mmCIF file of all heavy atoms in Angstrom:
data_model
loop_
_atom_site.group_PDB
_atom_site.id
_atom_site.type_symbol
_atom_site.label_atom_id
_atom_site.label_comp_id
_atom_site.label_asym_id
_atom_site.label_seq_id
_atom_site.Cartn_x
_atom_site.Cartn_y
_atom_site.Cartn_z
ATOM 1 N N LYS X 1 0.833 -1.208 0.000
ATOM 2 C CA LYS X 1 0.000 0.000 0.000
ATOM 3 C C LYS X 1 0.868 1.258 0.000
ATOM 4 O O LYS X 1 0.663 2.164 -0.810
ATOM 5 C CB LYS X 1 -0.933 -0.009 1.209
ATOM 6 C CG LYS X 1 -1.896 1.164 1.257
ATOM 7 C CD LYS X 1 -2.822 1.034 2.455
ATOM 8 C CE LYS X 1 -3.934 2.025 2.463
ATOM 9 N NZ LYS X 1 -3.607 3.400 2.345
ATOM 10 N N GLU X 2 1.829 1.318 0.902
ATOM 11 C CA GLU X 2 2.692 2.492 0.988
ATOM 12 C C GLU X 2 3.515 2.687 -0.284
ATOM 13 O O GLU X 2 3.639 3.804 -0.781
ATOM 14 C CB GLU X 2 3.625 2.380 2.194
ATOM 15 C CG GLU X 2 2.913 2.514 3.514
ATOM 16 C CD GLU X 2 3.821 2.274 4.703
ATOM 17 O OE1 GLU X 2 4.952 1.762 4.527
ATOM 18 O OE2 GLU X 2 3.389 2.594 5.808
ATOM 19 N N THR X 3 4.037 1.607 -0.807
ATOM 20 C CA THR X 3 4.843 1.702 -2.019
ATOM 21 C C THR X 3 4.002 2.149 -3.199
ATOM 22 O O THR X 3 4.408 3.023 -3.973
ATOM 23 C CB THR X 3 5.530 0.349 -2.318
ATOM 24 O OG1 THR X 3 6.375 0.023 -1.209
ATOM 25 C CG2 THR X 3 6.348 0.415 -3.589
ATOM 26 N N SER X 4 2.820 1.585 -3.348
ATOM 27 C CA SER X 4 1.965 1.961 -4.480
ATOM 28 C C SER X 4 1.504 3.411 -4.367
ATOM 29 O O SER X 4 1.390 4.113 -5.378
ATOM 30 C CB SER X 4 0.778 1.010 -4.612
ATOM 31 O OG SER X 4 -0.060 1.085 -3.483
ATOM 32 N N GLU X 5 1.256 3.897 -3.161
ATOM 33 C CA GLU X 5 0.880 5.306 -2.980
ATOM 34 C C GLU X 5 2.053 6.223 -3.345
ATOM 35 O O GLU X 5 1.869 7.282 -3.941
ATOM 36 C CB GLU X 5 0.430 5.581 -1.545
ATOM 37 C CG GLU X 5 -0.933 5.013 -1.203
ATOM 38 C CD GLU X 5 -2.072 5.642 -1.985
ATOM 39 O OE1 GLU X 5 -1.938 6.771 -2.515
ATOM 40 O OE2 GLU X 5 -3.123 4.980 -2.084
ATOM 41 N N TYR X 6 3.250 5.818 -2.983
ATOM 42 C CA TYR X 6 4.455 6.593 -3.312
ATOM 43 C C TYR X 6 4.636 6.669 -4.829
ATOM 44 O O TYR X 6 4.908 7.730 -5.385
ATOM 45 C CB TYR X 6 5.664 5.942 -2.638
ATOM 46 C CG TYR X 6 6.932 6.761 -2.676
ATOM 47 C CD1 TYR X 6 7.116 7.825 -1.798
ATOM 48 C CD2 TYR X 6 7.954 6.464 -3.565
ATOM 49 C CE1 TYR X 6 8.290 8.571 -1.806
ATOM 50 C CE2 TYR X 6 9.128 7.197 -3.581
ATOM 51 C CZ TYR X 6 9.288 8.252 -2.702
ATOM 52 O OH TYR X 6 10.449 8.986 -2.724
ATOM 53 N N VAL X 7 4.449 5.544 -5.496
ATOM 54 C CA VAL X 7 4.564 5.505 -6.957
ATOM 55 C C VAL X 7 3.463 6.345 -7.598
ATOM 56 O O VAL X 7 3.714 7.071 -8.566
ATOM 57 C CB VAL X 7 4.558 4.050 -7.464
ATOM 58 C CG1 VAL X 7 4.395 3.994 -8.982
ATOM 59 C CG2 VAL X 7 5.839 3.336 -7.034
ATOM 60 N N ALA X 8 2.256 6.277 -7.064
ATOM 61 C CA ALA X 8 1.162 7.087 -7.605
ATOM 62 C C ALA X 8 1.486 8.581 -7.481
ATOM 63 O O ALA X 8 1.239 9.356 -8.413
ATOM 64 C CB ALA X 8 -0.143 6.760 -6.878
ATOM 65 N N GLN X 9 2.051 8.983 -6.347
ATOM 66 C CA GLN X 9 2.441 10.391 -6.171
ATOM 67 C C GLN X 9 3.510 10.782 -7.192
ATOM 68 O O GLN X 9 3.462 11.860 -7.783
ATOM 69 C CB GLN X 9 2.956 10.633 -4.752
ATOM 70 C CG GLN X 9 3.329 12.075 -4.469
ATOM 71 C CD GLN X 9 2.116 12.988 -4.539
ATOM 72 O OE1 GLN X 9 1.096 12.715 -3.916
ATOM 73 N NE2 GLN X 9 2.213 14.066 -5.292
ATOM 74 N N TYR X 10 4.451 9.897 -7.399
ATOM 75 C CA TYR X 10 5.495 10.112 -8.410
ATOM 76 C C TYR X 10 4.877 10.285 -9.789
ATOM 77 O O TYR X 10 5.235 11.204 -10.527
ATOM 78 C CB TYR X 10 6.468 8.931 -8.362
ATOM 79 C CG TYR X 10 7.347 8.737 -9.560
ATOM 80 C CD1 TYR X 10 8.317 9.679 -9.906
ATOM 81 C CD2 TYR X 10 7.237 7.586 -10.343
ATOM 82 C CE1 TYR X 10 9.155 9.471 -11.006
ATOM 83 C CE2 TYR X 10 8.066 7.375 -11.429
ATOM 84 C CZ TYR X 10 9.025 8.326 -11.766
ATOM 85 O OH TYR X 10 9.837 8.113 -12.844
ATOM 86 N N TYR X 11 3.931 9.439 -10.162
ATOM 87 C CA TYR X 11 3.260 9.563 -11.459
ATOM 88 C C TYR X 11 2.539 10.902 -11.579
ATOM 89 O O TYR X 11 2.541 11.518 -12.647
ATOM 90 C CB TYR X 11 2.264 8.434 -11.666
ATOM 91 C CG TYR X 11 2.868 7.084 -11.975
ATOM 92 C CD1 TYR X 11 2.094 5.932 -11.903
ATOM 93 C CD2 TYR X 11 4.200 6.932 -12.343
ATOM 94 C CE1 TYR X 11 2.623 4.686 -12.193
ATOM 95 C CE2 TYR X 11 4.735 5.690 -12.625
ATOM 96 C CZ TYR X 11 3.939 4.570 -12.552
ATOM 97 O OH TYR X 11 4.467 3.338 -12.842
ATOM 98 N N ARG X 12 1.939 11.342 -10.495
ATOM 99 C CA ARG X 12 1.255 12.650 -10.520
ATOM 100 C C ARG X 12 2.262 13.778 -10.696
ATOM 101 O O ARG X 12 2.072 14.678 -11.527
ATOM 102 C CB ARG X 12 0.440 12.848 -9.241
ATOM 103 C CG ARG X 12 -0.792 11.965 -9.148
ATOM 104 C CD ARG X 12 -1.718 12.344 -8.003
ATOM 105 N NE ARG X 12 -1.129 12.158 -6.683
ATOM 106 C CZ ARG X 12 -1.189 11.019 -5.988
ATOM 107 N NH1 ARG X 12 -1.789 9.955 -6.475
ATOM 108 N NH2 ARG X 12 -0.634 10.948 -4.793
ATOM 109 N N ASP X 13 3.350 13.738 -9.924
ATOM 110 C CA ASP X 13 4.333 14.824 -9.947
ATOM 111 C C ASP X 13 5.163 14.859 -11.233
ATOM 112 O O ASP X 13 5.412 15.934 -11.774
ATOM 113 C CB ASP X 13 5.279 14.714 -8.745
ATOM 114 C CG ASP X 13 4.584 14.961 -7.427
ATOM 115 O OD1 ASP X 13 3.457 15.501 -7.419
ATOM 116 O OD2 ASP X 13 5.173 14.608 -6.384
ATOM 117 N N ARG X 14 5.569 13.718 -11.707
ATOM 118 C CA ARG X 14 6.454 13.689 -12.879
ATOM 119 C C ARG X 14 5.692 13.774 -14.201
ATOM 120 O O ARG X 14 6.131 14.450 -15.121
ATOM 121 C CB ARG X 14 7.319 12.435 -12.863
ATOM 122 C CG ARG X 14 8.327 12.431 -14.008
ATOM 123 C CD ARG X 14 9.349 11.349 -13.874
ATOM 124 N NE ARG X 14 10.414 11.531 -14.852
ATOM 125 C CZ ARG X 14 11.565 10.914 -14.827
ATOM 126 N NH1 ARG X 14 11.838 10.066 -13.853
ATOM 127 N NH2 ARG X 14 12.474 11.128 -15.755
ATOM 128 N N TYR X 15 4.574 13.062 -14.284
ATOM 129 C CA TYR X 15 3.879 12.943 -15.562
ATOM 130 C C TYR X 15 2.512 13.620 -15.606
ATOM 131 O O TYR X 15 1.882 13.660 -16.651
ATOM 132 C CB TYR X 15 3.702 11.460 -15.928
ATOM 133 C CG TYR X 15 4.992 10.689 -15.960
ATOM 134 C CD1 TYR X 15 5.261 9.723 -14.996
ATOM 135 C CD2 TYR X 15 5.954 10.931 -16.939
ATOM 136 C CE1 TYR X 15 6.447 9.004 -15.023
ATOM 137 C CE2 TYR X 15 7.144 10.225 -16.968
ATOM 138 C CZ TYR X 15 7.388 9.259 -16.006
ATOM 139 O OH TYR X 15 8.570 8.555 -16.023
ATOM 140 N N GLY X 16 2.048 14.094 -14.448
ATOM 141 C CA GLY X 16 0.733 14.715 -14.402
ATOM 142 C C GLY X 16 -0.413 13.717 -14.491
ATOM 143 O O GLY X 16 -1.551 14.101 -14.789
ATOM 144 N N LEU X 17 -0.125 12.446 -14.235
ATOM 145 C CA LEU X 17 -1.171 11.420 -14.296
ATOM 146 C C LEU X 17 -2.037 11.475 -13.050
ATOM 147 O O LEU X 17 -1.532 11.623 -11.941
ATOM 148 C CB LEU X 17 -0.548 10.032 -14.421
ATOM 149 C CG LEU X 17 0.279 9.763 -15.674
ATOM 150 C CD1 LEU X 17 0.919 8.384 -15.591
ATOM 151 C CD2 LEU X 17 -0.579 9.867 -16.915
ATOM 152 N N ILE X 18 -3.308 11.324 -13.237
ATOM 153 C CA ILE X 18 -4.232 11.272 -12.112
ATOM 154 C C ILE X 18 -4.434 9.796 -11.773
ATOM 155 O O ILE X 18 -5.065 9.049 -12.522
ATOM 156 C CB ILE X 18 -5.579 11.945 -12.458
ATOM 157 C CG1 ILE X 18 -5.360 13.368 -12.955
ATOM 158 C CG2 ILE X 18 -6.525 11.888 -11.268
ATOM 159 C CD1 ILE X 18 -4.627 14.277 -11.974
ATOM 160 N N THR X 19 -3.869 9.386 -10.651
ATOM 161 C CA THR X 19 -3.942 7.985 -10.239
ATOM 162 C C THR X 19 -3.820 7.904 -8.727
ATOM 163 O O THR X 19 -3.572 8.903 -8.056
ATOM 164 C CB THR X 19 -2.851 7.141 -10.948
ATOM 165 O OG1 THR X 19 -3.091 5.760 -10.689
ATOM 166 C CG2 THR X 19 -1.461 7.532 -10.495
ATOM 167 N N ASN X 20 -3.998 6.722 -8.209
ATOM 168 C CA ASN X 20 -3.822 6.490 -6.772
ATOM 169 C C ASN X 20 -3.187 5.117 -6.576
ATOM 170 O O ASN X 20 -3.015 4.357 -7.524
ATOM 171 C CB ASN X 20 -5.161 6.611 -6.030
ATOM 172 C CG ASN X 20 -6.191 5.615 -6.527
ATOM 173 O OD1 ASN X 20 -5.916 4.423 -6.664
ATOM 174 N ND2 ASN X 20 -7.387 6.096 -6.810
ATOM 175 N N GLY X 21 -2.854 4.823 -5.343
ATOM 176 C CA GLY X 21 -2.166 3.577 -5.046
ATOM 177 C C GLY X 21 -2.949 2.340 -5.415
ATOM 178 O O GLY X 21 -2.387 1.361 -5.916
ATOM 179 N N GLU X 22 -4.246 2.348 -5.182
ATOM 180 C CA GLU X 22 -5.067 1.182 -5.521
ATOM 181 C C GLU X 22 -5.042 0.911 -7.024
ATOM 182 O O GLU X 22 -4.960 -0.239 -7.453
ATOM 183 C CB GLU X 22 -6.505 1.385 -5.043
ATOM 184 C CG GLU X 22 -6.657 1.295 -3.555
ATOM 185 C CD GLU X 22 -8.095 1.488 -3.106
ATOM 186 O OE1 GLU X 22 -9.020 1.352 -3.930
ATOM 187 O OE2 GLU X 22 -8.288 1.776 -1.910
ATOM 188 N N GLU X 23 -5.113 1.973 -7.806
ATOM 189 C CA GLU X 23 -5.072 1.817 -9.258
ATOM 190 C C GLU X 23 -3.713 1.267 -9.707
ATOM 191 O O GLU X 23 -3.643 0.388 -10.568
ATOM 192 C CB GLU X 23 -5.362 3.149 -9.942
ATOM 193 C CG GLU X 23 -5.471 3.046 -11.440
ATOM 194 C CD GLU X 23 -5.849 4.362 -12.108
ATOM 195 O OE1 GLU X 23 -5.696 5.436 -11.473
ATOM 196 O OE2 GLU X 23 -6.283 4.310 -13.250
ATOM 197 N N VAL X 24 -2.649 1.778 -9.108
ATOM 198 C CA VAL X 24 -1.307 1.290 -9.441
ATOM 199 C C VAL X 24 -1.209 -0.204 -9.134
ATOM 200 O O VAL X 24 -0.730 -0.990 -9.954
ATOM 201 C CB VAL X 24 -0.220 2.096 -8.681
ATOM 202 C CG1 VAL X 24 1.138 1.432 -8.789
ATOM 203 C CG2 VAL X 24 -0.165 3.529 -9.193
ATOM 204 N N LEU X 25 -1.705 -0.614 -7.947
ATOM 205 C CA LEU X 25 -1.655 -2.037 -7.574
ATOM 206 C C LEU X 25 -2.472 -2.907 -8.514
ATOM 207 O O LEU X 25 -2.100 -4.055 -8.789
ATOM 208 C CB LEU X 25 -2.161 -2.227 -6.144
ATOM 209 C CG LEU X 25 -1.169 -1.977 -5.027
ATOM 210 C CD1 LEU X 25 -1.855 -2.019 -3.674
ATOM 211 C CD2 LEU X 25 -0.026 -2.970 -5.084
ATOM 212 N N SER X 26 -3.578 -2.377 -9.016
ATOM 213 C CA SER X 26 -4.435 -3.189 -9.886
ATOM 214 C C SER X 26 -3.911 -3.275 -11.322
ATOM 215 O O SER X 26 -4.226 -4.209 -12.035
ATOM 216 C CB SER X 26 -5.866 -2.641 -9.884
ATOM 217 O OG SER X 26 -5.934 -1.404 -10.563
ATOM 218 N N LYS X 27 -3.092 -2.314 -11.740
ATOM 219 C CA LYS X 27 -2.628 -2.271 -13.130
ATOM 220 C C LYS X 27 -1.269 -2.916 -13.360
ATOM 221 O O LYS X 27 -0.977 -3.358 -14.470
ATOM 222 C CB LYS X 27 -2.539 -0.813 -13.608
ATOM 223 C CG LYS X 27 -3.857 -0.196 -13.936
ATOM 224 C CD LYS X 27 -3.625 1.166 -14.550
ATOM 225 C CE LYS X 27 -4.932 1.738 -15.066
ATOM 226 N NZ LYS X 27 -4.727 3.036 -15.715
ATOM 227 N N TYR X 28 -0.413 -2.928 -12.350
ATOM 228 C CA TYR X 28 0.978 -3.336 -12.564
ATOM 229 C C TYR X 28 1.376 -4.467 -11.626
ATOM 230 O O TYR X 28 0.968 -4.496 -10.464
ATOM 231 C CB TYR X 28 1.921 -2.150 -12.335
ATOM 232 C CG TYR X 28 1.579 -0.960 -13.198
ATOM 233 C CD1 TYR X 28 0.937 0.150 -12.658
ATOM 234 C CD2 TYR X 28 1.882 -0.960 -14.554
ATOM 235 C CE1 TYR X 28 0.602 1.236 -13.447
ATOM 236 C CE2 TYR X 28 1.555 0.125 -15.353
ATOM 237 C CZ TYR X 28 0.914 1.218 -14.799
ATOM 238 O OH TYR X 28 0.584 2.278 -15.588
ATOM 239 N N PRO X 29 2.226 -5.367 -12.090
ATOM 240 C CA PRO X 29 2.764 -6.389 -11.189
ATOM 241 C C PRO X 29 3.702 -5.746 -10.160
ATOM 242 O O PRO X 29 4.287 -4.694 -10.410
ATOM 243 C CB PRO X 29 3.513 -7.341 -12.117
ATOM 244 C CG PRO X 29 3.755 -6.594 -13.373
ATOM 245 C CD PRO X 29 2.732 -5.511 -13.462
ATOM 246 N N TRP X 30 3.846 -6.425 -9.029
ATOM 247 C CA TRP X 30 4.608 -5.872 -7.914
ATOM 248 C C TRP X 30 6.032 -5.486 -8.299
ATOM 249 O O TRP X 30 6.523 -4.427 -7.931
ATOM 250 C CB TRP X 30 4.611 -6.859 -6.746
ATOM 251 C CG TRP X 30 5.442 -6.409 -5.599
ATOM 252 C CD1 TRP X 30 6.550 -7.018 -5.098
ATOM 253 C CD2 TRP X 30 5.249 -5.234 -4.811
ATOM 254 N NE1 TRP X 30 7.045 -6.302 -4.037
ATOM 255 C CE2 TRP X 30 6.263 -5.197 -3.837
ATOM 256 C CE3 TRP X 30 4.316 -4.212 -4.819
ATOM 257 C CZ2 TRP X 30 6.384 -4.185 -2.894
ATOM 258 C CZ3 TRP X 30 4.424 -3.187 -3.876
ATOM 259 C CH2 TRP X 30 5.445 -3.191 -2.938
ATOM 260 N N HIS X 31 6.723 -6.320 -9.056
ATOM 261 C CA HIS X 31 8.125 -6.023 -9.378
ATOM 262 C C HIS X 31 8.243 -4.741 -10.202
ATOM 263 O O HIS X 31 9.214 -4.009 -10.060
ATOM 264 C CB HIS X 31 8.804 -7.206 -10.076
ATOM 265 C CG HIS X 31 8.289 -7.545 -11.429
ATOM 266 N ND1 HIS X 31 7.108 -8.225 -11.619
ATOM 267 C CD2 HIS X 31 8.797 -7.296 -12.658
ATOM 268 C CE1 HIS X 31 6.913 -8.386 -12.914
ATOM 269 N NE2 HIS X 31 7.919 -7.830 -13.567
ATOM 270 N N GLU X 32 7.251 -4.417 -11.024
ATOM 271 C CA GLU X 32 7.285 -3.161 -11.772
ATOM 272 C C GLU X 32 7.008 -1.961 -10.869
ATOM 273 O O GLU X 32 7.565 -0.885 -11.067
ATOM 274 C CB GLU X 32 6.292 -3.204 -12.929
ATOM 275 C CG GLU X 32 6.717 -4.147 -14.028
ATOM 276 C CD GLU X 32 5.729 -4.194 -15.180
ATOM 277 O OE1 GLU X 32 4.861 -3.298 -15.287
ATOM 278 O OE2 GLU X 32 5.823 -5.141 -15.981
ATOM 279 N N ILE X 33 6.169 -2.153 -9.862
ATOM 280 C CA ILE X 33 5.890 -1.081 -8.902
ATOM 281 C C ILE X 33 7.155 -0.762 -8.107
ATOM 282 O O ILE X 33 7.503 0.412 -7.922
ATOM 283 C CB ILE X 33 4.724 -1.465 -7.963
ATOM 284 C CG1 ILE X 33 3.432 -1.601 -8.774
ATOM 285 C CG2 ILE X 33 4.567 -0.442 -6.838
ATOM 286 C CD1 ILE X 33 2.272 -2.202 -8.000
ATOM 287 N N VAL X 34 7.847 -1.801 -7.657
ATOM 288 C CA VAL X 34 9.101 -1.595 -6.923
ATOM 289 C C VAL X 34 10.108 -0.855 -7.803
ATOM 290 O O VAL X 34 10.768 0.089 -7.357
ATOM 291 C CB VAL X 34 9.690 -2.939 -6.435
ATOM 292 C CG1 VAL X 34 11.092 -2.749 -5.875
ATOM 293 C CG2 VAL X 34 8.781 -3.574 -5.402
ATOM 294 N N TRP X 35 10.196 -1.250 -9.061
ATOM 295 C CA TRP X 35 11.142 -0.612 -9.980
ATOM 296 C C TRP X 35 10.802 0.864 -10.157
ATOM 297 O O TRP X 35 11.683 1.719 -10.159
ATOM 298 C CB TRP X 35 11.128 -1.348 -11.321
ATOM 299 C CG TRP X 35 12.419 -1.241 -12.053
ATOM 300 C CD1 TRP X 35 12.645 -0.538 -13.202
ATOM 301 C CD2 TRP X 35 13.669 -1.826 -11.714
ATOM 302 N NE1 TRP X 35 13.955 -0.657 -13.589
ATOM 303 C CE2 TRP X 35 14.600 -1.452 -12.686
ATOM 304 C CE3 TRP X 35 14.091 -2.640 -10.674
ATOM 305 C CZ2 TRP X 35 15.932 -1.863 -12.651
ATOM 306 C CZ3 TRP X 35 15.403 -3.042 -10.646
ATOM 307 C CH2 TRP X 35 16.303 -2.655 -11.624
ATOM 308 N N GLU X 36 9.519 1.169 -10.284
ATOM 309 C CA GLU X 36 9.091 2.566 -10.412
ATOM 310 C C GLU X 36 9.396 3.353 -9.145
ATOM 311 O O GLU X 36 9.678 4.550 -9.202
ATOM 312 C CB GLU X 36 7.605 2.652 -10.752
ATOM 313 C CG GLU X 36 7.286 2.239 -12.171
ATOM 314 C CD GLU X 36 7.911 3.146 -13.219
ATOM 315 O OE1 GLU X 36 7.819 4.383 -13.092
ATOM 316 O OE2 GLU X 36 8.490 2.612 -14.178
ATOM 317 N N LYS X 37 9.353 2.670 -7.987
ATOM 318 C CA LYS X 37 9.716 3.338 -6.730
ATOM 319 C C LYS X 37 11.161 3.822 -6.783
ATOM 320 O O LYS X 37 11.470 4.920 -6.317
ATOM 321 C CB LYS X 37 9.508 2.394 -5.548
ATOM 322 C CG LYS X 37 9.875 3.012 -4.208
ATOM 323 C CD LYS X 37 9.664 2.057 -3.057
ATOM 324 C CE LYS X 37 10.727 1.014 -3.037
ATOM 325 N NZ LYS X 37 10.733 0.175 -1.841
ATOM 326 N N PHE X 38 12.037 3.044 -7.383
ATOM 327 C CA PHE X 38 13.434 3.467 -7.509
ATOM 328 C C PHE X 38 13.556 4.695 -8.409
ATOM 329 O O PHE X 38 14.334 5.601 -8.130
ATOM 330 C CB PHE X 38 14.301 2.326 -8.039
ATOM 331 C CG PHE X 38 14.351 1.116 -7.148
ATOM 332 C CD1 PHE X 38 14.497 -0.143 -7.690
ATOM 333 C CD2 PHE X 38 14.236 1.233 -5.771
ATOM 334 C CE1 PHE X 38 14.553 -1.267 -6.874
ATOM 335 C CE2 PHE X 38 14.285 0.120 -4.945
ATOM 336 C CZ PHE X 38 14.443 -1.141 -5.505
#
């Protein structure tokens, strides 16, 4: 949950995407979410 929320914030700040952690978790496999966190 925390990681996906962090990635969602990153997507909002960097790309202007409107998303949230739940959406990130439902769309991407975990290893891709971790990679995006980096």
Side-chain angles (χ1 to χ4, degrees):
K1 183 177 189 306
E2 290 175 347
T3 300
S4 64
E5 287 295 339
Y6 191 78
V7 169
Q9 182 65 51
Y10 162 65
Y11 286 166
R12 289 190 295 272
D13 293 344
R14 185 169 190 166
Y15 304 111
L17 297 175
I18 306 302
T19 189
N20 60 48
E22 288 181 18
E23 186 176 18
V24 168
L25 277 172
S26 70
K27 283 187 172 182
Y28 304 104
W30 176 243
H31 66 283
E32 290 180 16
I33 295 170
V34 171
W35 207 250
E36 288 296 313
K37 179 180 74 171
F38 298 148

